[in-house]
Amino acid sequence: MSMLERISKERTRYILFFTSTSVILITLGIIQTLLFEAIAFFSEVANTRGWFSFTVNLSGVASAAGLGALMLIGCAALEWRMRVDPKVLIRMPEKAMFPPKSAMYGIVVIALLAWVLIDSFVLRLVLLVVLFMWRRAANVFVLLPNNNADKSDRTVLYALIGGAVTVLFFSATKDYGGAFGEFFFTTQWTPTGACADRRALCENMSFGVNSLLLTTIQVAFGALFLAVPLGVGCAIYLSEYASPRLVSVVKPTLELLAGIPSVVYGFFAFIYIGPLVVQFGEYAFAQGWIDAPPNVLNPINGAIVVGVMILPLVASMSEDALRAVPNELREGSLALGATRIETTFRVMIQASLSGILASIILALSRAVGETMAVTLAVGTVAVYTSNMFLPAQTMTAYIAQRVGGDLPFGEIGYMTIFAVGLYLFVITLCLNLLGNKVLSAYREAY
Amino acid sequence: MKKDIDLLKKRNRKRRDLMERAGSTGLALSGFIGLMFLSVLVWQIAVPTFIEGETGQIEPASEFIPVSEYVLKWDHPTVDDDGALIGDPVVLELTWDDGGTERTHSIAVTVTSERNLREDIVINASGVSTEAVEVGKKTKFYIQSSLEVPVDIHQASGPVPAADETGSPTVSSFVISADVSVVVDDGRFVSHPLTMVAWLMLVFVVALLSFPMPAVLSAMEALLNRQAAVRYTLYGLAAGTLALAGFTLEAWLGAGCWTMSAVGINRTLQGMERLKSQGRDVTQFDRLKHSITNREGVLMWSRMLLVFSTLFIPLLIDVPFLTERYQDIFQPYASGIRSAFFGTIWVMGIAMVVSMPVSIGAAIYLEEYAAPTKTTKLIQALVTNLAGVPSIVFGMFGLAIFVKQGGIGLGLGPSILAAGLTMGVMAMPIIVLASQEALRSVPTSLRESAYGVGCTQWQVTRDHVLPSAMPGIMTGSILAMSRIMGEAAPLVVVGAAALVLFDPEPLAGLLGGNKGFTVIPIQIYFWTSEPEHAWHSMAAAASITLILLLAAMNSVAIVLRQHFRKRLNS
């Protein structure tokens, strides 16, 4: 049967197939659009400033960052050994893996002290990684008799090696320049510059996207800080405690909260939350905790409003995860004499952890991509500062604000929004892929 | 068992009790904080507009009245009962270009306290029909031009149209106060007689389908042999209504009423015919009612159409803020969201037309046809991930593909069409996921029994799976549309304008014309960005309008879902 005959015989099938390929077309279109203009941007900058340049600074390796890299390499070696031959752990004393309770408290106190005392941000992160690896080794240690640890998953190993290489590179170099160096590693974002002609690239323009990225991270994690305790708490209450009647009231309300447009949230932040945050900021300024008087538009304002926006998402997804846990687990725990709160925190949350984690990751992705509320709440001044009471600009807000002023095709400003957009797209795509992977893992489990 | 509750000391038991109580209270509290945010939000938006009843100052004269063919309406008289002037006289200046020379006419408008007094102004090549008009308060009158060139209308003095006697209307009067005319207003029907008859017909059909009355059914028996004639008469009436009533909203709704009546009567007649062929009494139609009307949702759709047409055919709702006023750059409190409202409707309409067939087709393919090959898995993964892509990225996609010229850009410009296409692309993954969910919930036994009697795959899908999944698909699509309706970020990128003083032209991107458009969320965004506080009140009013519109759409989705559930249970 020729291809043509097959198509004419099953034309419905092929028509439907072509409708579904439009999804591929759209994805390709998005990637093509962003990539095309972003490449144009980088090559435009590279024409005058080169692609990537840095100066080597070997003395940096001897600093805290170098130590961090060394520790990461050690962790990677341990991970590799554990994958190749888990029996290497047998030699370890059990006390080292599962210390008594008093020693555990001691370790927690030491870790907290170290977190406060250590000056370098990198070392703090490495400290967390070391603790994580210790618990991971303990996990493998317990599983040894069964020897069913999954040997094929090398994500952690690659992440550790990648982290070590990155830390080593950044400790040994400084003064980044060129198109990529400037965009990804510097913090000055002045894409209009003080130039006579704003259309073409000029000397005063600077494209350090970290200024936008920092605000995005501040807003997104601030939002999580608000939404995760409230949302997960709400989900636990709804699935474990609330009467069906209460659930039938609260769930639609959460849906309603999720259905309110983001621009209305932005308006709400602008007229209500902003002034409240300023009141607090003025107190902080009077006490000398911050070095500049607060502004109505600030990342805290944005974090609060985005937190409210993603709260329904976290709550409903976490509730789904908790409801998916088989009832036997709950009943078994209660039958053993645990109270409901113990059952909730020691059984239910453990069992649905990956589902809750997925909801948090997807909520983070939503918070990073949120635009209108953030544009209205955070402001339009791109500054790199840790003072969260000053107006700043997120990546999405930059795109929305810049494009609002009617950008002609092909000028440098038009290209920058696509470079920023591509970065944003990649970040949210990674978060979504991770979130969906975690989500499918827990769907398989139950 | 260390943890056994019997081994615990009394003190520890008490501690555990306390923990239990504190824990559950804390968890409940965390849920209620979310609700508290909602109430604070609604309260904060409602207070400045409705409760405090904020008023604004309207400055007379130098008014900017935007378009040439204009409908005017003053809410309060400019003269008292003896004919003496209250405040400034209303003077309109009409200017147009007459073959190189500029012609100017001024017209004095007197607004009396009598209602329904109407006098239109006609402009033709010889000039203006009158120098002075006398109209009643709250009465619309028109300026009609037969010239080829646009006519500029400026108001030289006097209170602005639709303001109260002090010239300072309250914001609440723009949002809440709606004139509802019932059947007759100004001495004539509010709608075309044919649409009224259509509405009555639909009332009859819904009543017939809900409670089949034997008397009516036996009267209808005479029509049994003339089914086609009845059907085509009703379709003809639909077309006639459209043509005679002039393609207005009422006309479309009236035509919809005729068509729905045709479908309803046709189903009834078919049922009666079946009863007759079985040798039963045709008046026992209620036995067949469920199988004839409920399966295809005829009754449900008729009821929904009835609700909508009741709002616009026998009742005529007139909300100036929503459907009459354009934005007024000098006077926040006299502004409305007419262009934004129609822009929203057009953008959503185009998005729906573009995305629904494609996404439902894709969902059917993925659920019913596709073998689990690599391509299928790729498409599925792409759909899942596209649903999580930030909306502003879709806006940039639209900017590069639909708006700009050059490369693979279509060059539609910042127009309604480009916006609708962008929004359609954005809605696609959401609709695909919702439709897949709905298709998945159709029991496999249904498919297998259909295959068992020898149906082809497409027949199974079309006749058995799709009808069962349709309510779920519709619910998902409506929810996707309501999400689109509130989305502003992609349209900021596509290039929605801050100030649009005309009704949007949906095909301007292709055919040329005024491309500018705006939607309600964009209007809220720009009004919030204004420094003046008065605009923030207008943004609040627009926000509430938007939330109400979304709530209306979501309640349609809920009606559908309920209908679906009821059918599953029966």
Side-chain angles (χ1 to χ4, degrees), chain A residues 78 82 94-99 104 107 128-142:
Chain A
L78 174 69
M82 274 182 351
E94 193 181 343
K95 279 269 159 64
M97 288 300 170
F98 296 99
M104 204 72 161
I107 290 169
L128 285 184
V129 172
V130 168
L131 284 179
F132 168 75
M133 284 307 295
W134 178 46
R135 293 327 296 164
R136 196 173 159 80
N139 208 11
V140 175
F141 186 79
V142 173

PDB file of all heavy atoms in Angstrom, chain A residues 78 82 94-99 104 107 128-142:
ATOM      1  N   LEU A  78      33.162  10.592  46.634  1.00  0.00           N
ATOM      2  CA  LEU A  78      32.380   9.706  47.511  1.00  0.00           C
ATOM      3  C   LEU A  78      31.182   9.148  46.762  1.00  0.00           C
ATOM      4  O   LEU A  78      30.888   7.945  46.798  1.00  0.00           O
ATOM      5  CB  LEU A  78      31.916  10.492  48.735  1.00  0.00           C
ATOM      6  CG  LEU A  78      30.975   9.748  49.682  1.00  0.00           C
ATOM      7  CD1 LEU A  78      31.685   8.620  50.397  1.00  0.00           C
ATOM      8  CD2 LEU A  78      30.339  10.698  50.685  1.00  0.00           C
ATOM      9  N   MET A  82      30.337   5.304  45.870  1.00  0.00           N
ATOM     10  CA  MET A  82      29.087   4.694  46.316  1.00  0.00           C
ATOM     11  C   MET A  82      28.337   4.048  45.161  1.00  0.00           C
ATOM     12  O   MET A  82      27.679   3.028  45.329  1.00  0.00           O
ATOM     13  CB  MET A  82      28.184   5.749  46.978  1.00  0.00           C
ATOM     14  CG  MET A  82      28.517   5.908  48.430  1.00  0.00           C
ATOM     15  SD  MET A  82      27.526   7.065  49.346  1.00  0.00           S
ATOM     16  CE  MET A  82      26.553   7.937  48.228  1.00  0.00           C
ATOM     17  N   GLU A  94      28.656   2.298  62.282  1.00  0.00           N
ATOM     18  CA  GLU A  94      27.260   2.698  62.219  1.00  0.00           C
ATOM     19  C   GLU A  94      27.040   4.028  62.925  1.00  0.00           C
ATOM     20  O   GLU A  94      26.191   4.831  62.543  1.00  0.00           O
ATOM     21  CB  GLU A  94      26.381   1.611  62.850  1.00  0.00           C
ATOM     22  CG  GLU A  94      24.915   1.824  62.524  1.00  0.00           C
ATOM     23  CD  GLU A  94      24.033   0.773  63.156  1.00  0.00           C
ATOM     24  OE1 GLU A  94      24.572  -0.274  63.556  1.00  0.00           O
ATOM     25  OE2 GLU A  94      22.829   1.000  63.253  1.00  0.00           O
ATOM     26  N   LYS A  95      27.845   4.261  63.987  1.00  0.00           N
ATOM     27  CA  LYS A  95      27.701   5.508  64.762  1.00  0.00           C
ATOM     28  C   LYS A  95      27.934   6.741  63.897  1.00  0.00           C
ATOM     29  O   LYS A  95      27.359   7.804  64.106  1.00  0.00           O
ATOM     30  CB  LYS A  95      28.685   5.494  65.933  1.00  0.00           C
ATOM     31  CG  LYS A  95      28.193   4.693  67.120  1.00  0.00           C
ATOM     32  CD  LYS A  95      27.429   5.588  68.081  1.00  0.00           C
ATOM     33  CE  LYS A  95      26.494   4.799  68.991  1.00  0.00           C
ATOM     34  NZ  LYS A  95      27.167   3.871  69.902  1.00  0.00           N
ATOM     35  N   ALA A  96      28.805   6.598  62.892  1.00  0.00           N
ATOM     36  CA  ALA A  96      29.100   7.753  62.036  1.00  0.00           C
ATOM     37  C   ALA A  96      27.915   8.094  61.139  1.00  0.00           C
ATOM     38  O   ALA A  96      27.709   9.242  60.761  1.00  0.00           O
ATOM     39  CB  ALA A  96      30.332   7.461  61.180  1.00  0.00           C
ATOM     40  N   MET A  97      27.158   7.064  60.779  1.00  0.00           N
ATOM     41  CA  MET A  97      26.006   7.298  59.906  1.00  0.00           C
ATOM     42  C   MET A  97      24.791   7.719  60.712  1.00  0.00           C
ATOM     43  O   MET A  97      24.044   8.599  60.330  1.00  0.00           O
ATOM     44  CB  MET A  97      25.691   6.005  59.129  1.00  0.00           C
ATOM     45  CG  MET A  97      26.720   5.708  58.073  1.00  0.00           C
ATOM     46  SD  MET A  97      26.794   7.046  56.895  1.00  0.00           S
ATOM     47  CE  MET A  97      28.241   6.590  55.999  1.00  0.00           C
ATOM     48  N   PHE A  98      24.562   7.029  61.826  1.00  0.00           N
ATOM     49  CA  PHE A  98      23.409   7.371  62.657  1.00  0.00           C
ATOM     50  C   PHE A  98      23.875   7.662  64.075  1.00  0.00           C
ATOM     51  O   PHE A  98      23.818   6.809  64.955  1.00  0.00           O
ATOM     52  CB  PHE A  98      22.399   6.213  62.664  1.00  0.00           C
ATOM     53  CG  PHE A  98      21.825   5.964  61.303  1.00  0.00           C
ATOM     54  CD1 PHE A  98      22.313   4.952  60.500  1.00  0.00           C
ATOM     55  CD2 PHE A  98      20.795   6.769  60.836  1.00  0.00           C
ATOM     56  CE1 PHE A  98      21.793   4.732  59.246  1.00  0.00           C
ATOM     57  CE2 PHE A  98      20.261   6.551  59.577  1.00  0.00           C
ATOM     58  CZ  PHE A  98      20.766   5.539  58.783  1.00  0.00           C
ATOM     59  N   PRO A  99      24.395   8.877  64.305  1.00  0.00           N
ATOM     60  CA  PRO A  99      24.897   9.217  65.640  1.00  0.00           C
ATOM     61  C   PRO A  99      23.746   9.281  66.628  1.00  0.00           C
ATOM     62  O   PRO A  99      22.598   9.449  66.239  1.00  0.00           O
ATOM     63  CB  PRO A  99      25.536  10.587  65.431  1.00  0.00           C
ATOM     64  CG  PRO A  99      24.903  11.132  64.227  1.00  0.00           C
ATOM     65  CD  PRO A  99      24.468   9.997  63.380  1.00  0.00           C
ATOM     66  N   MET A 104      23.591  14.345  67.370  1.00  0.00           N
ATOM     67  CA  MET A 104      22.834  14.921  66.250  1.00  0.00           C
ATOM     68  C   MET A 104      22.536  16.395  66.530  1.00  0.00           C
ATOM     69  O   MET A 104      22.746  17.256  65.685  1.00  0.00           O
ATOM     70  CB  MET A 104      21.538  14.130  66.102  1.00  0.00           C
ATOM     71  CG  MET A 104      20.943  14.198  64.735  1.00  0.00           C
ATOM     72  SD  MET A 104      21.940  13.247  63.608  1.00  0.00           S
ATOM     73  CE  MET A 104      20.741  13.038  62.321  1.00  0.00           C
ATOM     74  N   ILE A 107      25.608  18.380  66.106  1.00  0.00           N
ATOM     75  CA  ILE A 107      25.955  18.631  64.706  1.00  0.00           C
ATOM     76  C   ILE A 107      25.091  19.748  64.132  1.00  0.00           C
ATOM     77  O   ILE A 107      25.591  20.630  63.430  1.00  0.00           O
ATOM     78  CB  ILE A 107      25.787  17.332  63.884  1.00  0.00           C
ATOM     79  CG1 ILE A 107      26.881  16.351  64.281  1.00  0.00           C
ATOM     80  CG2 ILE A 107      25.850  17.620  62.394  1.00  0.00           C
ATOM     81  CD1 ILE A 107      26.675  14.965  63.754  1.00  0.00           C
ATOM     82  N   LEU A 128      26.004  22.891  53.085  1.00  0.00           N
ATOM     83  CA  LEU A 128      24.710  22.215  52.898  1.00  0.00           C
ATOM     84  C   LEU A 128      24.887  20.956  52.067  1.00  0.00           C
ATOM     85  O   LEU A 128      24.307  19.904  52.378  1.00  0.00           O
ATOM     86  CB  LEU A 128      23.710  23.145  52.203  1.00  0.00           C
ATOM     87  CG  LEU A 128      23.102  24.252  53.050  1.00  0.00           C
ATOM     88  CD1 LEU A 128      22.068  25.006  52.250  1.00  0.00           C
ATOM     89  CD2 LEU A 128      22.478  23.672  54.311  1.00  0.00           C
ATOM     90  N   VAL A 129      25.703  21.066  50.997  1.00  0.00           N
ATOM     91  CA  VAL A 129      25.914  19.911  50.119  1.00  0.00           C
ATOM     92  C   VAL A 129      26.557  18.777  50.896  1.00  0.00           C
ATOM     93  O   VAL A 129      26.162  17.608  50.751  1.00  0.00           O
ATOM     94  CB  VAL A 129      26.789  20.322  48.901  1.00  0.00           C
ATOM     95  CG1 VAL A 129      27.175  19.099  48.088  1.00  0.00           C
ATOM     96  CG2 VAL A 129      26.045  21.309  48.029  1.00  0.00           C
ATOM     97  N   VAL A 130      27.525  19.121  51.766  1.00  0.00           N
ATOM     98  CA  VAL A 130      28.215  18.081  52.538  1.00  0.00           C
ATOM     99  C   VAL A 130      27.219  17.373  53.458  1.00  0.00           C
ATOM    100  O   VAL A 130      27.196  16.140  53.544  1.00  0.00           O
ATOM    101  CB  VAL A 130      29.382  18.699  53.348  1.00  0.00           C
ATOM    102  CG1 VAL A 130      29.923  17.711  54.363  1.00  0.00           C
ATOM    103  CG2 VAL A 130      30.486  19.148  52.406  1.00  0.00           C
ATOM    104  N   LEU A 131      26.382  18.155  54.133  1.00  0.00           N
ATOM    105  CA  LEU A 131      25.367  17.543  55.009  1.00  0.00           C
ATOM    106  C   LEU A 131      24.459  16.619  54.210  1.00  0.00           C
ATOM    107  O   LEU A 131      24.132  15.506  54.631  1.00  0.00           O
ATOM    108  CB  LEU A 131      24.533  18.632  55.687  1.00  0.00           C
ATOM    109  CG  LEU A 131      25.203  19.367  56.842  1.00  0.00           C
ATOM    110  CD1 LEU A 131      24.280  20.433  57.396  1.00  0.00           C
ATOM    111  CD2 LEU A 131      25.590  18.385  57.935  1.00  0.00           C
ATOM    112  N   PHE A 132      24.050  17.109  53.018  1.00  0.00           N
ATOM    113  CA  PHE A 132      23.166  16.330  52.150  1.00  0.00           C
ATOM    114  C   PHE A 132      23.827  15.008  51.769  1.00  0.00           C
ATOM    115  O   PHE A 132      23.206  13.935  51.813  1.00  0.00           O
ATOM    116  CB  PHE A 132      22.825  17.159  50.903  1.00  0.00           C
ATOM    117  CG  PHE A 132      22.171  16.386  49.801  1.00  0.00           C
ATOM    118  CD1 PHE A 132      20.840  16.006  49.903  1.00  0.00           C
ATOM    119  CD2 PHE A 132      22.879  16.043  48.658  1.00  0.00           C
ATOM    120  CE1 PHE A 132      20.237  15.296  48.891  1.00  0.00           C
ATOM    121  CE2 PHE A 132      22.274  15.331  47.642  1.00  0.00           C
ATOM    122  CZ  PHE A 132      20.946  14.958  47.763  1.00  0.00           C
ATOM    123  N   MET A 133      25.124  15.082  51.416  1.00  0.00           N
ATOM    124  CA  MET A 133      25.837  13.871  50.992  1.00  0.00           C
ATOM    125  C   MET A 133      25.965  12.877  52.140  1.00  0.00           C
ATOM    126  O   MET A 133      25.883  11.666  51.951  1.00  0.00           O
ATOM    127  CB  MET A 133      27.235  14.227  50.467  1.00  0.00           C
ATOM    128  CG  MET A 133      27.256  14.819  49.093  1.00  0.00           C
ATOM    129  SD  MET A 133      26.381  13.807  47.890  1.00  0.00           S
ATOM    130  CE  MET A 133      27.408  12.354  47.889  1.00  0.00           C
ATOM    131  N   TRP A 134      26.111  13.426  53.350  1.00  0.00           N
ATOM    132  CA  TRP A 134      26.225  12.562  54.535  1.00  0.00           C
ATOM    133  C   TRP A 134      24.936  11.761  54.706  1.00  0.00           C
ATOM    134  O   TRP A 134      24.949  10.549  54.881  1.00  0.00           O
ATOM    135  CB  TRP A 134      26.485  13.458  55.749  1.00  0.00           C
ATOM    136  CG  TRP A 134      26.569  12.734  57.050  1.00  0.00           C
ATOM    137  CD1 TRP A 134      27.268  11.604  57.298  1.00  0.00           C
ATOM    138  CD2 TRP A 134      25.909  13.089  58.248  1.00  0.00           C
ATOM    139  NE1 TRP A 134      27.108  11.233  58.597  1.00  0.00           N
ATOM    140  CE2 TRP A 134      26.275  12.129  59.217  1.00  0.00           C
ATOM    141  CE3 TRP A 134      25.075  14.143  58.643  1.00  0.00           C
ATOM    142  CZ2 TRP A 134      25.816  12.176  60.519  1.00  0.00           C
ATOM    143  CZ3 TRP A 134      24.626  14.190  59.932  1.00  0.00           C
ATOM    144  CH2 TRP A 134      24.979  13.218  60.865  1.00  0.00           C
ATOM    145  N   ARG A 135      23.779  12.430  54.608  1.00  0.00           N
ATOM    146  CA  ARG A 135      22.505  11.741  54.760  1.00  0.00           C
ATOM    147  C   ARG A 135      22.271  10.767  53.607  1.00  0.00           C
ATOM    148  O   ARG A 135      21.689   9.699  53.766  1.00  0.00           O
ATOM    149  CB  ARG A 135      21.341  12.732  54.837  1.00  0.00           C
ATOM    150  CG  ARG A 135      21.297  13.624  56.058  1.00  0.00           C
ATOM    151  CD  ARG A 135      21.817  12.995  57.307  1.00  0.00           C
ATOM    152  NE  ARG A 135      21.060  11.841  57.803  1.00  0.00           N
ATOM    153  CZ  ARG A 135      21.497  10.974  58.685  1.00  0.00           C
ATOM    154  NH1 ARG A 135      22.731  11.084  59.165  1.00  0.00           N
ATOM    155  NH2 ARG A 135      20.751   9.973  59.079  1.00  0.00           N
ATOM    156  N   ARG A 136      22.784  11.126  52.447  1.00  0.00           N
ATOM    157  CA  ARG A 136      22.642  10.260  51.281  1.00  0.00           C
ATOM    158  C   ARG A 136      23.423   8.965  51.481  1.00  0.00           C
ATOM    159  O   ARG A 136      22.931   7.865  51.195  1.00  0.00           O
ATOM    160  CB  ARG A 136      23.151  11.014  50.052  1.00  0.00           C
ATOM    161  CG  ARG A 136      22.746  10.424  48.728  1.00  0.00           C
ATOM    162  CD  ARG A 136      23.167  11.371  47.618  1.00  0.00           C
ATOM    163  NE  ARG A 136      23.259  10.640  46.356  1.00  0.00           N
ATOM    164  CZ  ARG A 136      22.223  10.329  45.609  1.00  0.00           C
ATOM    165  NH1 ARG A 136      21.016  10.696  45.974  1.00  0.00           N
ATOM    166  NH2 ARG A 136      22.379   9.660  44.490  1.00  0.00           N
ATOM    167  N   ALA A 137      24.644   9.143  52.010  1.00  0.00           N
ATOM    168  CA  ALA A 137      25.461   7.955  52.294  1.00  0.00           C
ATOM    169  C   ALA A 137      24.768   7.086  53.334  1.00  0.00           C
ATOM    170  O   ALA A 137      24.751   5.852  53.227  1.00  0.00           O
ATOM    171  CB  ALA A 137      26.839   8.390  52.787  1.00  0.00           C
ATOM    172  N   ALA A 138      24.149   7.735  54.348  1.00  0.00           N
ATOM    173  CA  ALA A 138      23.447   6.977  55.392  1.00  0.00           C
ATOM    174  C   ALA A 138      22.316   6.174  54.778  1.00  0.00           C
ATOM    175  O   ALA A 138      22.071   5.026  55.144  1.00  0.00           O
ATOM    176  CB  ALA A 138      22.910   7.936  56.444  1.00  0.00           C
ATOM    177  N   ASN A 139      21.646   6.776  53.816  1.00  0.00           N
ATOM    178  CA  ASN A 139      20.537   6.120  53.123  1.00  0.00           C
ATOM    179  C   ASN A 139      21.019   4.852  52.417  1.00  0.00           C
ATOM    180  O   ASN A 139      20.417   3.778  52.531  1.00  0.00           O
ATOM    181  CB  ASN A 139      19.944   7.102  52.119  1.00  0.00           C
ATOM    182  CG  ASN A 139      18.489   6.821  51.875  1.00  0.00           C
ATOM    183  OD1 ASN A 139      17.891   6.026  52.597  1.00  0.00           O
ATOM    184  ND2 ASN A 139      17.936   7.454  50.864  1.00  0.00           N
ATOM    185  N   VAL A 140      22.135   5.009  51.687  1.00  0.00           N
ATOM    186  CA  VAL A 140      22.702   3.855  50.973  1.00  0.00           C
ATOM    187  C   VAL A 140      23.146   2.797  51.976  1.00  0.00           C
ATOM    188  O   VAL A 140      22.968   1.603  51.757  1.00  0.00           O
ATOM    189  CB  VAL A 140      23.882   4.308  50.089  1.00  0.00           C
ATOM    190  CG1 VAL A 140      24.560   3.114  49.426  1.00  0.00           C
ATOM    191  CG2 VAL A 140      23.405   5.302  49.046  1.00  0.00           C
ATOM    192  N   PHE A 141      23.703   3.248  53.098  1.00  0.00           N
ATOM    193  CA  PHE A 141      24.183   2.363  54.160  1.00  0.00           C
ATOM    194  C   PHE A 141      23.063   1.472  54.651  1.00  0.00           C
ATOM    195  O   PHE A 141      23.229   0.269  54.836  1.00  0.00           O
ATOM    196  CB  PHE A 141      24.723   3.247  55.291  1.00  0.00           C
ATOM    197  CG  PHE A 141      25.374   2.487  56.394  1.00  0.00           C
ATOM    198  CD1 PHE A 141      26.662   2.007  56.247  1.00  0.00           C
ATOM    199  CD2 PHE A 141      24.705   2.252  57.588  1.00  0.00           C
ATOM    200  CE1 PHE A 141      27.269   1.303  57.260  1.00  0.00           C
ATOM    201  CE2 PHE A 141      25.311   1.556  58.604  1.00  0.00           C
ATOM    202  CZ  PHE A 141      26.602   1.084  58.438  1.00  0.00           C
ATOM    203  N   VAL A 142      21.868   2.052  54.835  1.00  0.00           N
ATOM    204  CA  VAL A 142      20.725   1.277  55.320  1.00  0.00           C
ATOM    205  C   VAL A 142      20.289   0.275  54.266  1.00  0.00           C
ATOM    206  O   VAL A 142      19.927  -0.858  54.576  1.00  0.00           O
ATOM    207  CB  VAL A 142      19.554   2.238  55.655  1.00  0.00           C
ATOM    208  CG1 VAL A 142      18.318   1.434  55.984  1.00  0.00           C
ATOM    209  CG2 VAL A 142      19.926   3.110  56.826  1.00  0.00           C
TER     210      VAL A 142
END
